[in-house]
């Protein structure tokens, strides 16, 4: 049982989202919520408070009668539950729910405690609101997507329940759950925030770190099976650059290759002899996709670390409007719901993930082109050249998927379009950025899955299973359990999908 006390990190998200750990809420959180709710209830009795006794957005100039306050909240939720397109996968919605639960737990929103209690139950029972991809512009937060969450909390809309989409009211009857109590501003408080883009973003970072680890392993394996010189990974060379990411990538690759019998030392092959030739048969230096891996994956690691920091700051922040401050006995109106922080980080993330897919595609091309590697048959074809095709077909998939990533990497952060009667005149498009990044990450897994199968086939052709490093051998064994040795042409898409699913759901420390 994971106890929430208002502070969440990546590890807590991982436990809840990927390991289905149940959550409990510390009693101090409920007390904070009670204090915030009671203060706002009293404070708003004879004052004009946005979203309590006024309309919303450009209609905030309209005073709402006390008798219509509750109806106002329901009207907001129902009118804005207007999402379209594909639904967001339950895993990402669950992350968004956890993010929203945490920010409401800070006590800056003035919601009724039933909101916290019901959200906890939905998370613990894997009852996930049906939320659509299209709708949010990411300025008053994820208004449309969060409206679908709020719709479920008032007992309406639809949910994912035991693998099926069902009416919320029917599931609540089965599970003996009651809708939230709407008293003050529960509708606006649920909808005004960045929790959907942030929740999706956190899952994106978790999946990206796993992807990066697989990329490091693949890059290490390629270096050894082509018997590259190891000085480009050396401590001494990489220490001359001040970037932590580069140093760490080089260190991890040295660790991966520490017991390899294939990588070569320059001093043994080039420094202790100087053959009298005009043209060297072997390359003196490797292609960039092998030699420059620390310099390519290093900035990706540094960027990922910073993105995680920003997202965790966001998920532990009040991203509502207005903000209730019990200590100061005041309510502040502003724009904490604006999603620019998340939008910018998601654009950075999809750029570096695209670069990862580009690196994998170039490494793949190196293995498939005998004019580059000089040791493998064309397309790592274990059959008859001309009659069989080896990995030729799947290279098209890797190349086209990488090209799609390059196009998708155009930033959303600078694609603001004014809307809402120009009240929202500059917006973040943060949810779009997070969802496009999700697509880019999934694409990159496909490219690396194809690269991985090719690496395994190359090891098979070279018959170096007993010479590769122990880490590469574990990867070889794991993928061989999924993909058989093939010399005759086989239908490849089931194997690519199986390897993709495997690496998306396993850390590389299991191989």
């Amino acid at each position: 049982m994971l106890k929430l006390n208002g502070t969440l990190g990546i590890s807590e998200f991982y436990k809840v989202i990927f390991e289905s750990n149940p959550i409990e809420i510390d009693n101090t959180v409920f007390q904070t919520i009670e204090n915030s709710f009671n203060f706002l209830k009293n404070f708003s009795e004879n004052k004009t408070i946005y979203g309590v006794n006024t309309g919303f957005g450009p209609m905030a100039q309209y005073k709402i009668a006390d008798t219509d306050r509750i109806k106002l909240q329901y009207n907001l939720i129902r009118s804005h539950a207007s999402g379209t397109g594909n639904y967001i996968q339950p895993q990402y919605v669950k992350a968004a729910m956890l993010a929203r639960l945490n920010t409401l737990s800070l006590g800056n929103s003035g919601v009724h405690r039933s909101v916290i209690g019901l959200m906890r139950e939905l998370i613990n029972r894997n009852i996930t609101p049906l939320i659509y991809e299209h709708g949010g512009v990411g300025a008053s937060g994820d208004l449309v997507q969060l409206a679908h969450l709020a719709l479920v909390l008032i007992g309406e809309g639809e949910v994912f329940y035991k693998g099926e989409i069902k009416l919320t009211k029917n599931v609540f009857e089965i599970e003996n759950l009651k809708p939230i109590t709407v008293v003050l501003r529960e509708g606006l408080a649920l909808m005004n925030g960045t929790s959907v883009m942030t929740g999706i973003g956190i899952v994106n970072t978790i999946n990206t770190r796993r992807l990066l680890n697989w990329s490091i392993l693949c890059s290490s394996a390629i270096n050894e099976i082509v018997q590259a010189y190891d000085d480009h990974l050396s401590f001494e060379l990489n220490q001359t650059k001040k970037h932590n990411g580069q140093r760490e990538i080089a260190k991890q690759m040295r660790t991966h290759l520490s017991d390899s019998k294939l990588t070569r030392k320059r001093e043994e092959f080039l420094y202790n002899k100087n053959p009298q030739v005009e043209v060297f048969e072997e390359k003196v230096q490797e292609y960039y996709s092998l030699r420059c891996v620390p310099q390519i994956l290093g900035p990706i690691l540094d960027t990922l670390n910073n993105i995680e920091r920003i997202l965790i700051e966001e998920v532990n922040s009040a991203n509502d409007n207005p903000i209730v401050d019990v200590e100061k006995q005041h309510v502040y109106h502003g724009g904490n719901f604006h999603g620019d922080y998340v939008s910018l980080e998601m654009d950075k993330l999809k750029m570096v993930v695209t670069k990862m897919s580009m690196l994998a595609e170039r490494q793949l091309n190196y293995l498939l082109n005998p004019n580059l590697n000089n040791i493998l048959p064309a397309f790592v074809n274990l059959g008859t050249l001309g009659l069989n095709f080896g990995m030729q077909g799947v290279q098209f998939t890797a190349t086209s998927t990488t090209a799609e990533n390059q196009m998708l990497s155009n930033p959303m952060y600078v694609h603001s379009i004014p809307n809402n009667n120009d009240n929202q005149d500059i917006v973040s498009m943060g949810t779009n950025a997070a969802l496009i990044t999700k697509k880019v990450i999934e694409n990159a897994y496909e490219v690396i899955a194809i690269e991985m199968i090719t690496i395994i086939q190359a090891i098979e052709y070279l018959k170096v299973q007993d010479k590769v490093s122990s880490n590469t051998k574990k990867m070889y064994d794991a993928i061989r359990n999924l993909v058989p040795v093939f010399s005759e042409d086989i239908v490849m898409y089931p194997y690519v999908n199986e390897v993709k699913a495997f690496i998306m759901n396993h850390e590389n420390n299991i191989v």
Side-chain angles (χ1 to χ4, degrees):
M1 184 75 72
L2 183 67
K3 182 165 283 192
L4 262 63
N5 57 12
T7 303
L8 285 177
I10 293 291
S11 62
E12 286 78 19
F13 269 88
Y14 187 91
K15 290 174 183 176
V16 175
I17 307 306
F18 287 84
E19 298 179 347
S20 297
N21 274 27
I23 59 173
E24 188 51 77
I25 298 173
D26 195 285
N27 287 332
T28 59
V29 171
F30 278 111
Q31 188 59 57
T32 299
I33 295 297
E34 289 272 12
N35 293 343
S36 176
F37 173 80
N38 290 331
F39 163 72
L40 182 61
K41 186 177 181 181
N42 294 328
F43 187 82
S44 62
E45 284 183 357
N46 58 357
K47 299 178 183 65
T48 300
I49 305 294
Y50 173 77
V52 174
N53 49 23
T54 74
F56 301 107
M59 291 186 288
Q61 306 307 115
Y62 292 90
K63 183 75 178 291
I64 304 300
D66 290 348
T67 55
D68 288 331
R69 284 188 182 187
I70 305 303
K71 185 178 181 181
L72 173 71
Q73 301 298 319
Y74 283 104
N75 286 348
L76 178 67
I77 294 170
R78 290 166 180 153
S79 66
H80 283 64
S82 56
T84 61
N86 297 323
Y87 59 76
I88 301 175
Q89 295 168 6
Q91 181 185 57
Y92 295 86
V93 175
K94 190 175 183 180
M97 292 170 66
L98 183 59
R100 196 81 206 124
L101 174 59
N102 192 68
T103 191
L104 293 175
S105 297
L106 300 176
N108 297 119
S109 302
V111 296
H112 191 270
R113 65 176 290 157
S114 62
V115 173
I116 306 299
L118 182 54
M119 290 182 72
R120 173 195 61 195
E121 291 304 312
L122 295 182
I123 291 171
N124 286 348
R125 302 188 198 194
N126 282 316
I127 302 170
T128 311
L130 183 65
I131 299 179
Y132 293 92
E133 289 186 350
H134 293 166
V137 297
S140 271
D142 305 297
L143 275 178
V144 170
Q145 280 92 359
L146 285 172
H148 285 271
L149 167 60
L151 193 66
V152 167
L153 293 176
I154 63 173
E156 300 176 17
E158 297 171 284
V159 295
F160 286 97
Y161 180 67
K162 297 183 177 179
E164 296 181 334
I165 297 175
K166 293 185 176 294
L167 291 175
T168 302
K169 64 179 182 179
N170 294 342
V171 173
F172 277 20
E173 288 176 4
I174 294 170
E175 292 285 336
N176 195 27
L177 294 172
K178 294 181 179 180
I180 63 170
T181 302
V182 177
V183 183
L184 288 174
R185 60 182 300 269
E186 282 70 28
L188 182 62
L190 281 165
M191 293 166 53
N192 244 359
T194 60
S195 300
V196 173
M197 66 178 82
T198 307
I200 295 170
I202 288 173
V203 176
N204 284 344
T205 62
I206 292 171
N207 285 333
T208 298
R209 189 168 295 278
R210 182 173 289 174
L211 180 72
L212 176 59
N213 290 337
W214 285 116
S215 180
I216 294 168
L217 182 55
C218 287
S219 297
S220 302
I222 289 177
N223 267 276
E224 65 175 320
I225 64 178
V226 303
Q227 299 186 43
Y229 295 107
D230 67 356
D231 52 344
H232 59 269
L233 301 177
S234 67
F235 172 85
E236 291 77 10
L237 181 137
N238 287 281
Q239 205 67 13
T240 62
K241 266 288 187 76
K242 300 296 184 182
H243 305 300
N244 290 331
Q246 175 179 332
R247 293 176 175 183
E248 179 60 26
I249 296 296
K251 178 182 177 182
Q252 289 188 35
M253 292 183 72
R254 290 196 302 271
T255 300
H256 278 306
L257 298 173
S258 60
D259 57 355
S260 173
K261 299 175 183 176
L262 294 172
T263 52
R264 297 188 292 174
K265 296 196 175 297
R266 191 172 295 271
E267 55 267 28
E268 294 178 9
F269 290 89
L270 292 177
Y271 284 0
N272 63 356
K273 55 185 176 181
N274 188 17
Q276 300 301 311
V277 296
E278 292 186 0
V279 179
F280 293 100
E281 290 185 7
E282 295 186 13
K283 288 188 70 65
V284 175
Q285 294 191 113
E286 303 298 337
Y287 286 95
Y288 286 12
S289 61
L290 279 72
R291 177 164 37 117
C292 301
V293 173
Q295 292 82 359
I296 295 169
L297 295 184
I300 294 174
L301 176 58
D302 283 337
T303 301
L304 177 58
N305 288 339
N306 189 63
I307 291 168
E308 282 187 351
R309 178 182 64 82
I310 295 293
L311 290 181
I312 290 304
E313 286 178 354
E314 184 71 26
V315 84
N316 290 301
S317 299
N319 45 75
D320 197 352
N321 180 54
I323 294 296
V324 177
D325 190 329
V326 176
E327 183 180 350
K328 298 286 187 180
Q329 295 286 289
H330 201 71
V331 174
Y332 299 92
H333 291 69
N336 276 5
F337 48 61
H338 206 285
D340 262 19
Y341 268 106
V342 179
S343 181
L344 178 57
E345 298 310 310
M346 287 299 97
D347 279 352
K348 292 178 186 176
L349 187 61
K350 67 184 178 184
M351 285 172 57
V352 298
V353 172
T354 291
K355 194 60 177 282
M356 248 194 293
S357 64
M358 292 166 60
L359 175 65
E361 189 274 336
R362 288 293 84 196
Q363 291 174 341
L364 171 66
N365 185 70
Y366 178 82
L367 292 177
L368 296 180
N369 190 337
N371 296 318
L372 297 180
N373 61 66
N374 296 318
I375 59 173
L376 296 168
F379 305 110
V380 196
N381 186 350
L382 305 189
T384 302
L385 295 178
L387 177 64
N388 300 114
F389 295 92
M391 300 294 291
Q392 179 176 324
V394 286
Q395 183 181 18
F396 295 123
T397 302
T399 302
S400 66
T401 304
T402 301
E404 182 178 65
N405 272 4
Q406 290 173 314
M407 179 58 68
L408 291 174
S409 291
N410 289 311
M412 284 300 307
Y413 175 69
V414 293
H415 277 233
S416 174
I417 300 176
N419 65 106
N420 193 230
N421 281 5
D422 278 344
N423 172 56
Q424 297 186 20
D425 56 349
I426 184 164
V427 298
S428 75
M429 298 295 180
T431 311
N432 285 352
L435 287 167
I436 293 171
T437 301
K438 169 183 171 291
K439 172 66 172 172
V440 168
I441 293 167
E442 290 171 353
N443 283 351
Y445 270 101
E446 291 179 11
V447 178
I448 286 188
I450 292 169
E451 178 188 22
M452 198 171 287
I453 296 171
T454 307
I455 291 171
I456 301 309
Q457 285 291 102
I459 291 172
E460 202 73 50
Y461 174 82
L462 296 170
K463 299 190 184 306
V464 291
Q465 291 91 328
D466 60 341
K467 295 182 179 180
V468 295
S469 66
S470 55
N471 284 320
T472 299
K473 182 58 165 61
K474 290 175 184 176
M475 178 181 74
Y476 169 89
D477 291 338
I479 304 305
R480 263 293 164 254
N481 287 333
L482 304 175
V483 184
V485 180
F486 61 93
S487 55
E488 293 297 323
D489 294 317
I490 60 175
V491 177
M492 287 298 299
Y493 75 85
Y495 296 113
V496 174
N497 288 334
E498 197 168 355
V499 174
K500 176 188 175 184
F502 175 81
I503 60 177
M504 284 197 75
N505 290 289
H506 292 85
E507 301 289 351
N508 76 5
N509 59 13
I510 62 95
V511 300

